[in-house]
Structures are given as structure tokens and as C-alpha cells.
Amino acid sequence: MTTARFDYAPLLPPGLPAAAAKWTGLAKYSFVGGNNDMDQVPVEGLTAAANAAMLREGRTLATYGLASGPQGYLPLRTFIVGKLKRDASIDCTADDILVVSGSLQALDLVNHSLLAKGDTVIIERDCYQGSINRLTRLGVNIVGIPLDDDGMRMDALATALEDLKAKGIRPKYIYTIPTVQNPTGTIMPESRRCELLALSARYGVPIFEDDCYADLIWNGERPPALHAMDKTGSVIHIGSFSKSIAPALRVGYIVAPWEIMSRMLALKIDAGSGALEQMVLAEYCVPHFATHVPKATRGLRAKLETLMDALNEQFGTAAEFDEPKGGIFLWVKLPANVDAMKLYQAALKAGVSINPGPEWSVDKAYAGSHIRICFASPTHDEIREGIAVLADVCRQEFGVPERIANVEKRARG
Amino acid sequence: MTTARFDYAPLLPPGLPAAAAKWTGLAKYSFVGGNNDMDQVPVEGLTAAANAAMLREGRTLATYGLASGPQGYLPLRTFIVGKLKRDASIDCTADDILVVSGSLQALDLVNHSLLAKGDTVIIERDCYQGSINRLTRLGVNIVGIPLDDDGMRMDALATALEDLKAKGIRPKYIYTIPTVQNPTGTIMPESRRCELLALSARYGVPIFEDDCYADLIWNGERPPALHAMDKTGSVIHIGSFSKSIAPALRVGYIVAPWEIMSRMLALKIDAGSGALEQMVLAEYCVPHFATHVPKATRGLRAKLETLMDALNEQFGTAAEFDEPKGGIFLWVKLPANVDAMKLYQAALKAGVSINPGPEWSVDKAYAGSHIRICFASPTHDEIREGIAVLADVCRQEFGVPERIANVEKRARG
């Protein structure tokens, strides 16, 4: 179609990320990407919701923002208010909520409202790759706080805050995924949340609370959100429907005081997030969310069992993990001689995609032998088969796991 | 709900735009925002499309990107390929298309792929506010090229390119809305497109072609897209379904060579654009787009007639305008003593929202007495009533139009 090609290279600005590679499809055994379980998408309910909402008010699609203003479709915001009250003990109004295009846009809006190059932020040492990458691209200094079974360690946080203060540095925020942490799957208990809020107040550092996996807890019980426990407006809370309903619907939300919400709104110059998805979600969630989520979570829990069994069977004691309290991923420690980045590459060639630990941690050395395995999307059979292939690859590359079978289930947690 | 408030002010980075004001609803007579005609939203067709697509493949919503990869839902990209061939003479494949969250995201992705602070770009002097604002925020130097009845003036462009070359400046792109220009409504003829491509090639400056209003042409006839006439990959083409189907669906697209597409993909870190909206659009558009658009356009044309009649009746010779060849807006020149920014404020108080010219031009002085009037969203009655109110406000503030009635219709074009 073209002859002498125009050369864009001299026009590219400095600091651009590397060019994307061509997409070649999902791996046969895909344990990455935060995808969900196809069987759990409430297709009939969403279809009925689309019907009802469209026939009643589809005409409003003619107006940007559905005449609900830039903060998003009002019935969806109203639903979120009720959901947050019921599930997370958050008291807020529809005016405190900004509907966004997935929690990734929430990350961008919060970051761009608060961060400049050279700023410092505090996050959990092992953390969602998308959060780490965004901060790296912004040229922000990242201080990683180690985690234990109860999430971010407060002794380490206190030390870090004091050290920074001694250097005259006030971090811009403390980012945490306190409720089903990614990748560790921990839930921060209420007492530790109190400590975190006290440290936040003492050092004048706001908390950025990412609750996007919080709906998926096996027993359905969770502590109040940090936002709910705060009385000063120092917590910016974000959430998502990607995990509870469907990830390809790009709908998330931010709960924040107007002082910072008004800054985020000024940066949200996209003429609103997708209105049909907001309409369908509101219509579906009002009657069905509270029953759908426990059902979906039971399905995820069953897949986790299959994954843990497969790991125990295939890897034996070579795979160490704490049983997560909810979510869609398992954080697995392999023997120290396993290079997770190399394992990732070799497994991909064998049709198995996993997340290598160094991409999910700010401490690349610590996470060098860790991998993250997402278990929501593959079927039970695919989980068993994929983990068997992964074990074979790992054995070929690193000599572990040794060829053993049916060892006793072993979990640290 | 809170007591001593956390103060975010010391944490805000430099260069942040001003805080947003609280949204207070749409004006009674709203002639802004690019909204569409409620009566033209194909509600039944979109509803049926949602039904069919959801029941057939709603399960795929469990996977980010619907397993179509990061460039967007494949059936939609395939539809776009056929539409662009038919309407704009563009030869491309689905691999050349990136589906985005409205053409605003297209603007962002192109800008962030090519621009750094201090760079220079060329745009049409009178231009879409969102494009101007984005460039201003990026700290880019904007060179505005005046327009005539055939769009961007090539003599002025040649002079600007030569002047910049003499200063050692290579602009990053020439941004143009050649097919139903915003705000002037002009269409650049094919011969001038040839000239533009020749200048682009001579100076090594790529063209950024924004065709987002191009579907709405009264007689349905349009020249080939610049992208179609180019043989070198020097044209980045963007389009949207906001104007042809519904603006609250946030779906647009970019057509670009892989060299620059791969850079935009690396910057599109949103886990894909809304999948339900892509599914519904593909399902609806394949059978219905070609018949829906002319029908919608006829409705717009009728509203334009009402608007021009109302302006002639209320403003007489005080309102000068060229009849646009398509689109949803009219660019109106008022007498030189009318300050469009003041008129905008006074009209808003009276319940009429308009776009003041200085916000839609890089030459604030030139556009000081211009206003942009969007006519798709208000009803015929609202157009007549709103323009009458606007004339009253203008008369009170500036003494024009004089109180005359039923003057002869007068349009320059």
C-alpha cells in the first residue's frame, strides 16, 4: 500500500516507552492479566439490564455524560454509595464519587493530581505491576514497604516515614491495597488500619487506598475501608467492577474529597467514561450485585483449590505460598535458584504465561524467584495441565521441582 | 462526616490546571458540547445489537480486550476497515486500526507519542477547543494557519513551514480537520489535499488528520481522506462514532502505520477501551450504519435550517456565517463591538450556553466576536427560543442586533 516510508523516528520525544510488540494471542495456559472466569459473567442479567436501560433512556446517549455531569451516571454513583456503605462501611454521597474508565484511569488521575517528577511515594514492596510501572514512568521515587500476613508492615512504614522526614522529604502518598493485596492476597486487619491512619496523620501523608479486589473475599468478611475509618479526608479510595462483574467493562470509581476530586476532574478531559457500560452496570447491580458476588467468589475459591492442589502435586515443597483470603491470584515462592524472569520466558514458549515476580515488586532481588499465578480465567483442567507444563519447564531450566508426586499439601499460611 | 480537614494544597504539583467547578447541570438552551440529537439515537437498533452480541459472546467480557488484543474488538475493526474504504477511500487492514475511548483519547495518544514541551505543531487557526487545550497543557508552540471556504490555506501553510525551516524548527505535525472543519464547517477539496500532502512531504512533517465529523455531510459526498491519498505512511488518521451514532458511547479509532501505532500502544495502558460499547457498535453498524447516517444527517440539516432562520430573524445582518457543508455547529461572526467572552457569560446567566470564539481559535483577537453554536442537541423550538434569548442578551450588552425583524436571509456562503 505504500512505497518510500515516512520515518517517524526523528520526531519521537525523549523518554518514550519501548514500542509495543505485535500481539500474538493469549497463551494456551494463561495465568496472567487479571482476567475473570467466563462462566461467572452474568450474561443473561447483563443482557436484560442492557435491554431495560436502553429502552428506557437510550436516548440520553445523545448527550455526553448522559446529562449526569462529569462525575458519571448518577444511578451508578448512587449504587456505589450503597455498596460502599454496606461492604466497606464508607459514608459518602454521590457527589463524592467519580466514575472512571476502570481503576487504571483512577491511578492515572490520582497520580497526575499529586505527583511530579522527583517526588517520593510509599507503596507496598510487592505490588500491582500497573501501579509500579506508572510511578516509574512518572520519574517518581518509590519506597517499598515489606508485607507480612497482615499486609503492609507498620514498623517498616514508621521507619521509612521517619527516615524520609529526617531527609526533609514529605512523601506524596502511601499507596496500599489493604483488602486482598496484590499479589500477596493478604487483608490488613482493622487494628493495623488504625496504626496506618495514625502514621498518615502524624506525617501528613495522605493514603491512596486501592480496593479493587476487595469484593472477592472467600468468607465475605472484611474490615472497614481506611476511607471509612478516616475523619479528615486524608484517604483517596478507588474501586472497580472489573473483578466483581467483568474486566472488559471498563468501569471503576474514585471516592475523594472535593478539594482533590476537583483537581482530578480538571484532568479528566475524556468527555466522560463509557455511558452504556455505566447504564448496564447500574441496572444490573442494583438488584443483583449482592447475590452475584458471593456466587462468583465461590467459583474462584474452587479454582484456587485446584491451583493449590496442582502446585502441591507438581512442585511439592518447591512451591511455597500463603493461602490468599480472596482474589484471583496466588503469589508463589520458588527455590532461590529459579530465575523467575527466565522461567517466564521459557514457560511462554511452552504455552504457559505467568507473571514473573520482579515485575510485581519494587525489590527485584527479593522477588527474583517469585511468580504470580492468576487462576480465575483458566478452567480447572487448564489449571492442572498448565501447572504440570510449568513444572516441566521449571525442572528443565532449573532442576526443580525434583520429580516427586503426591507430596503432602504444604502452605505456610 | 469529617472534622479537621486534610489539606492537599501543599502536595499539589506545579502546573496543574485550575480546579474544576461543581457541575450545575446543562443550560436550558444548550448550544455547546457536541451533543447529538436525542431523536436520532437508534435506540431500538442498539438495543437489539446489545442483545445479540451479549447472548452470543458476552462470556468474553471476562477477558480484557475480549481476546481481540490491545488494538480493540476485531469485528469492530473489520467494520471500520470497510467503512473507511467506502466513505474515505482508505485502504487499510484491521491491523492498522487502534480502537480508542473516543477521539479524545486518540488526540492524547498521538500527542504523547510525538510531542515534548517546547515542540512546535501546526494547526488550523480556528480549531476544536479540546485540541488547542491539550497542546497548551503540553507546553507546545502552536502555529495557527488561517482558513478560507476550502479549509486550511495552503499559501499560509507554505509560508509558515518555510519560516519555521529558516529558524531550524521542524514541526512535529500538521493537525487538520479537513472534512467538516471544526468550527468553520468547511471541506477541503481534493486538489488542496494534494497540495497539503506535497507540503508535508517537502518539509518532512507528518499530517494528523482528524475526521471525526466527516460522516455528517449534507450531500454525503466527500473527497478521499488525506490518509487515502498518501503513499508513504505520513498521515495519522482518527475518527469517531460519537457524531454518527452517539457521543456518550466513547468509541473512536486511529489508523496509523505500525511504526507509530506501536508507540501509541505502549502508551495506551488502560487495559483496553470499553468492550461492551465496541461489541454493540460492531453489531449495530455492520447492518445499519450506511442507512442510519444519511437519516441522522437529514435531521441535522433541518436543524441547521432552523438555526440559520432564527439567526437571520433575530440578528439580521449582525450575524454573519457561511453555511457549513455538514456537521453539528455553526461558526458565527458578530459585530466587532461584541465581546464573545462577555456574551458567553451573560447568555449563560440567561439560560443559553454558547462557545465563545476565543476558546475555539489560536488567534484570540481574530475570534473575539465569533461564537460557535451547536445545533444537534436542542429541539427546533429550543433553537428558535434560545436564539431569541441570545439576541436579547446581546442587544442588552452590546446594542446589537438592532431591533429589526424578518430581514432577508443572509449568508456569505
Side-chain angles (χ1 to χ4, degrees), chain A residues 6 39 51 59 134 232 269, chain B residues 39 51 59 134 232 269:
Chain A
F6 185 87
D39 292 335
N51 254 301
R59 286 163 49 86
R134 279 170 166 74
T232 68
I269 51 174
Chain B
D39 291 336
N51 254 301
R59 285 161 50 87
R134 280 169 164 75
T232 67
I269 51 174

Side-chain angles (χ1 to χ4, degrees), chain B residues 60-78:
Chain B
T60 61
L61 292 172
T63 304
Y64 284 104
L66 300 170
S68 274
Q71 289 181 233
Y73 184 54
L74 189 56
L76 182 61
R77 284 190 279 145
T78 303

Side-chain angles (χ1 to χ4, degrees), chain A residues 340-352 393-394 397-398:
Chain A
M341 295 303 294
K342 284 188 183 164
L343 177 61
Y344 156 71
Q345 292 289 354
L348 200 57
K349 281 183 194 152
V352 180
V393 171
C394 194
E397 297 284 324
F398 304 103

Side-chain angles (χ1 to χ4, degrees), chain A residues 139-183:
Chain A
V140 165
N141 302 313
I142 305 172
V143 176
I145 306 295
L147 301 117
D148 62 19
D149 290 351
D150 290 336
M152 189 189 281
R153 273 176 42 199
M154 289 303 111
D155 58 333
L157 176 63
T159 303
L161 285 165
E162 193 59 32
D163 286 354
L164 289 167
K165 190 180 179 185
K167 293 181 197 158
I169 296 170
R170 181 180 177 187
K172 284 298 183 81
Y173 61 60
I174 302 164
Y175 173 75
T176 177
I177 308 173
T179 316
V180 187
Q181 205 268 344
N182 185 354

Side-chain angles (χ1 to χ4, degrees), chain A residues 274-312:
Chain A
L276 178 58
E277 304 201 336
Q278 294 184 61
M279 287 168 64
V280 170
L281 274 177
E283 194 80 14
Y284 173 78
C285 287
V286 169
H288 298 306
F289 188 86
T291 50
H292 167 73
V293 168
K295 181 172 159 290
T297 306
R298 280 195 296 279
L300 294 174
R301 170 73 214 188
K303 287 195 172 178
L304 172 63
E305 288 294 336
T306 298
L307 173 61
M308 293 192 298
D309 287 350
L311 283 168
N312 285 320

Side-chain angles (χ1 to χ4, degrees), chain A residues 64 270, chain B residues 70-73 76-77 80 83-84 97-107 109 210-212 215 237-244 246-255 268 273-274 277-278 281:
Chain A
Y64 285 102
D270 60 1
Chain B
Q71 289 181 233
Y73 184 54
L76 182 61
R77 284 190 279 145
I80 293 168
K83 170 214 172 335
L84 288 174
I97 290 172
L98 172 58
V99 177
V100 294
S101 304
S103 62
L104 295 179
Q105 190 180 41
L107 294 177
L109 290 173
D210 186 347
D211 245 6
C212 78
D215 292 315
H237 178 98
I238 70 172
S240 173
F241 291 94
S242 292
K243 310 307 168 190
S244 54
L249 301 177
R250 307 304 302 129
V251 182
Y253 50 87
I254 304 176
V255 192
K268 192 174 187 298
S273 293
E277 306 202 336
Q278 293 183 62
L281 274 177

